[in-house]
Amino acid sequence: MTTEIRTDTSREPREAAPGTPAARAASALAALGIHGATIHANLSVPELYEAALRLGEGHIALGGPLTVHTAPHTGRSPKDRFIVEDDLTRGSVWWGGFNTPTTPDVFDRLLARMTEWCAGRELFVQDLFAGTDPAYRLPVRMVTEMAYHSLFVRNMFVRPTEAELDTIEPEFTVLNLPGFKADPARDGTRSETFIVVNFTRRMILVGGTKYAGENKKGIFGVLNYLLPERGVMPMHCSANMGDAGDVALFFGLSGTGKTTLSADPTRRLIGDDEHGWTDDGVFNFEGGCYAKVINLSAENEPAIHRTTHMFGTVLENVVLRGDRTPDLDDGSLTENTRSAYPIDFIDNIVPEGRGGHPRHVVFLTADAYGVLPPISRLTREQMMYQFISGFTAKIPGTEQGVAEPQPTFSTCFGAPFMPRHPGEYAALLARKVEESGAKVWLVNTGWTGGKYGTGRRMSIRHTRALLDAALSGALDAAEFHEEPFFGLSIPAEVPGVPAEVLDPRRTWADPEEYDRTARKLAGMFRENFRRFEEGVNPEVVACMPDHG
């Protein structure tokens, strides 16, 4: 059987001219063992819409977005992710946690079965860049079974110019076949779903899940492994820029306000999720945004809300009303409803996706215990300690079985995507901060006046006032004092914020109850950090909080 090549969505195959991107893609896939497939190479947005509708993958909502459902997987499957352990990765990957080893033989067998499965099927190819900095961007080839996935990656990654498309040579390939399901007993996987990363073969295999976020995060994990060797700090953070060119980074896990706080109308957005920090400054890994849209309102986040009614946007697991309008308040399919759109769908952006060295680095945490101060200034060692810890808290109602606040420690604020030892990333970040002179802040967007259930959520107005003061330099000359449990430096006064709010102990009706809760949280920090001590210098270990 021969491979049919098409650059449109018609049913009739069309021979591609030698040397074209389509022909090069077909040749590359044939080298992997893919024969007898119909290949659609680098289709446009309208063509991908037509293919997705023809294949029954989704529906068009009012205003033009393509809506798709991904059940049973409505989020990532981190427990089904594997990294091939071989001579390249054996000593460079931090094994354990989310970095689960598998063998080259497992990868080879899966690849052989997947390529055989492709015969007689349609495949969609997109050649793209991961990264907006030409010096560090990674050319990637995304090969997907679903047209919607091809549209998703076209939105999320950096799209080559026509001239670049003629010469692009992919350095990493993703083969994503949701319809192919593994046999755990035969294939050495945990379930029918799998994400297998092979750094030596420079490939990622994905199967058994329609959730498109695996494409995005798979390549993010690749960059997190490759870039530190070039002195680039990869970061799970958002970034924005003020009128004076001053860049700020915002690290934070889901629910901490990373997207909301970085989308500041007075500052321009560089990117909302993944960045690299080079010797020249920061650059966005992506060409799009993947925003969570549950309960999104036009009043609070008008820019993101507008994308949910635009042609070219992909809406994942968003319920449509009878009139085909998206119901963003309906979480019946999942709370993890998403909008994937090109970043230029947002007006207030930095078009080139790059900026200078950050002047400020902000760690966001949603502390449901009501212990951490709303803002504190970190030393170099405290920064490394908090970065490795990556603390936030789950609250009741967010997940089944969560009845009281639960601590969540996700190292580097992105544990599932970090192949190397956290200490390696922390040391690289510390060097970048030291060389740039950036100030580092810990901002608690969680609870004050008590833990969840008795206290109240931190006022967004107060949080914005605190960030404005930090980013504007108003806190540079402020008086600070140290709180007793975590050794954090708290400003005595911030314009627009009541003084008692700045010191969390003063907001509690029972200060002794605050002390007991603070000791409990400090103990959780200490217990979590024990697994990192071996790869971290003693000065950072000494920042563990006092829970005596």
Side-chain angles (χ1 to χ4, degrees):
M1 299 178 70
T2 59
T3 299
E4 297 175 349
I5 305 165
R6 292 215 297 265
T7 55
D8 57 31
T9 57
S10 64
R11 299 302 294 172
E12 292 299 322
R14 189 175 76 189
E15 192 71 27
T20 62
R24 291 199 303 272
S27 176
L29 297 188
L32 292 177
I34 295 177
H35 302 284
T38 300
I39 299 172
H40 305 287
N42 296 303
L43 298 189
S44 66
V45 172
E47 290 171 324
L48 289 170
Y49 263 69
E50 291 169 359
L53 295 176
R54 173 173 58 79
L55 296 171
E57 295 177 2
H59 302 279
I60 298 178
L62 189 68
L66 179 69
T67 64
V68 296
H69 294 170
T70 68
H73 295 279
T74 56
R76 291 180 299 101
S77 302
K79 293 182 179 179
D80 292 306
R81 175 178 171 270
F82 302 87
I83 297 176
V84 173
E85 182 181 8
D86 56 19
D87 291 342
L88 176 65
T89 59
R90 190 166 294 114
S92 55
V93 170
W94 189 56
W95 302 107
F98 292 103
N99 296 323
T100 304
T102 191
T103 67
D105 286 345
V106 165
F107 178 90
D108 291 342
R109 288 197 304 269
L110 269 174
L111 176 60
R113 294 221 300 126
M114 292 175 77
T115 55
E116 182 181 1
W117 188 85
C118 288
R121 302 180 187 276
E122 296 184 62
L123 296 177
F124 298 85
V125 176
Q126 290 285 334
D127 293 319
L128 302 157
F129 293 113
T132 57
D133 188 332
Y136 297 99
R137 65 189 183 186
L138 179 72
V140 297
R141 173 163 288 148
M142 314 295 294
V143 184
T144 64
E145 174 194 356
M146 301 186 74
Y148 126 67
H149 278 195
S150 200
L151 177 58
F152 174 91
V153 297
R154 195 181 192 282
N155 282 353
M156 293 308 305
F157 292 95
V158 179
R159 295 160 292 283
T161 64
E162 287 296 324
E164 289 171 334
L165 198 57
D166 285 336
T167 58
I168 189 170
E169 292 293 339
E171 296 178 14
F172 229 93
T173 299
V174 177
L175 178 60
N176 190 332
L177 307 176
F180 178 88
K181 294 178 171 56
D183 178 349
R186 175 181 179 181
D187 296 320
T189 58
R190 191 187 70 93
S191 70
E192 293 181 335
T193 301
F194 59 91
I195 304 97
V196 184
V197 184
N198 190 324
F199 286 106
T200 298
R201 294 284 298 274
R202 301 183 81 82
M203 286 191 69
I204 302 175
L205 306 180
V206 185
T209 173
K210 295 180 182 178
Y211 185 68
E214 298 291 7
N215 299 295
K216 162 187 158 71
K217 291 302 185 184
I219 291 297
F220 182 35
V222 166
L223 292 172
N224 288 344
Y225 179 79
L226 297 176
L227 288 177
E229 293 182 345
R230 303 179 65 187
V232 178
M233 175 62 198
M235 304 172 293
H236 183 211
C237 71
S238 58
N240 65 23
M241 180 191 295
D243 290 339
D246 52 307
V247 173
L249 304 180
F250 299 83
F251 292 82
L253 301 170
S254 179
T256 59
K258 175 169 64 75
T259 299
T260 299
L261 292 170
S262 63
D264 186 331
T266 67
R267 299 172 65 85
R268 292 186 296 153
L269 183 69
I270 297 174
D272 81 334
D273 199 41
E274 300 164 3
H275 293 81
W277 190 346
T278 74
D279 290 339
D280 298 317
V282 301
F283 70 97
N284 192 359
F285 285 172
E286 300 179 294
C289 301
Y290 193 34
K292 195 171 182 179
V293 295
I294 190 70
N295 300 321
L296 189 76
S297 71
E299 293 73 27
N300 293 333
E301 299 200 62
I304 299 175
H305 189 274
R306 188 166 57 252
T307 71
T308 64
H309 295 76
M310 296 177 68
F311 179 80
T313 291
V314 175
L315 295 180
E316 277 188 333
N317 300 308
V318 172
V319 174
L320 296 183
R321 301 183 181 93
D323 61 359
R324 285 294 191 259
T325 57
D327 186 352
L328 302 181
D329 296 324
D330 190 333
S332 58
L333 297 177
T334 177
E335 291 289 308
N336 189 36
T337 55
R338 295 276 180 168
S339 175
Y341 51 90
I343 195 169
D344 57 16
F345 278 17
I346 302 289
D347 293 331
N348 195 29
I349 64 168
V350 178
E352 59 272 23
R354 301 190 296 277
H357 291 294
R359 296 186 189 175
H360 297 274
V361 176
V362 180
F363 295 161
L364 299 169
T365 180
D367 173 22
Y369 297 90
V371 168
L372 297 176
I375 193 168
S376 52
R377 187 176 60 193
L378 302 182
T379 66
R380 178 182 184 275
E381 289 73 24
Q382 287 174 329
M383 174 198 68
M384 294 175 71
Y385 180 83
Q386 293 293 336
F387 182 69
I388 293 173
S389 297
F391 167 73
T392 192
K394 296 177 184 177
I395 61 173
T398 57
E399 289 186 14
Q400 187 174 357
V402 178
E404 61 178 37
Q406 293 184 1
T408 298
F409 294 94
S410 186
T411 181
C412 308
F413 297 98
F417 330 117
M418 300 295 180
R420 297 179 180 272
H421 191 284
E424 186 174 346
Y425 296 112
L428 184 53
L429 178 61
R431 179 165 67 82
K432 295 293 185 185
V433 167
E434 191 170 14
E435 291 174 351
S436 68
K439 295 180 174 63
V440 185
W441 309 90
L442 179 65
V443 172
N444 176 20
T445 61
W447 272 254
T448 183
K451 65 181 181 180
Y452 176 89
T454 58
R456 60 190 181 280
R457 190 76 191 253
M458 202 76 68
S459 163
I460 185 66
R461 180 171 59 84
H462 289 162
T463 299
R464 288 200 178 277
L466 293 168
L467 282 173
D468 288 346
L471 301 187
S472 69
L475 295 185
D476 289 354
E479 177 186 348
F480 285 78
H481 67 272
E482 186 176 299
E483 57 84 34
F485 295 98
F486 291 80
L488 300 172
S489 294
I490 303 172
E493 186 176 348
V494 176
V497 182
E500 63 272 14
V501 171
L502 299 173
D503 185 344
R505 192 174 190 270
R506 293 174 60 187
T507 66
W508 283 53
D510 184 349
E512 292 184 357
E513 177 62 20
Y514 170 85
D515 292 345
R516 287 190 289 271
T517 306
R519 291 191 187 97
K520 178 181 178 181
L521 182 60
M524 296 175 188
F525 266 81
R526 294 178 68 89
E527 181 61 29
N528 170 73
F529 204 81
R530 295 190 193 284
R531 58 198 173 112
F532 306 116
E533 289 185 48
E534 187 174 337
V536 176
N537 70 51
E539 290 80 8
V540 176
V541 177
C543 291
M544 286 202 290
D546 181 9
H547 71 310

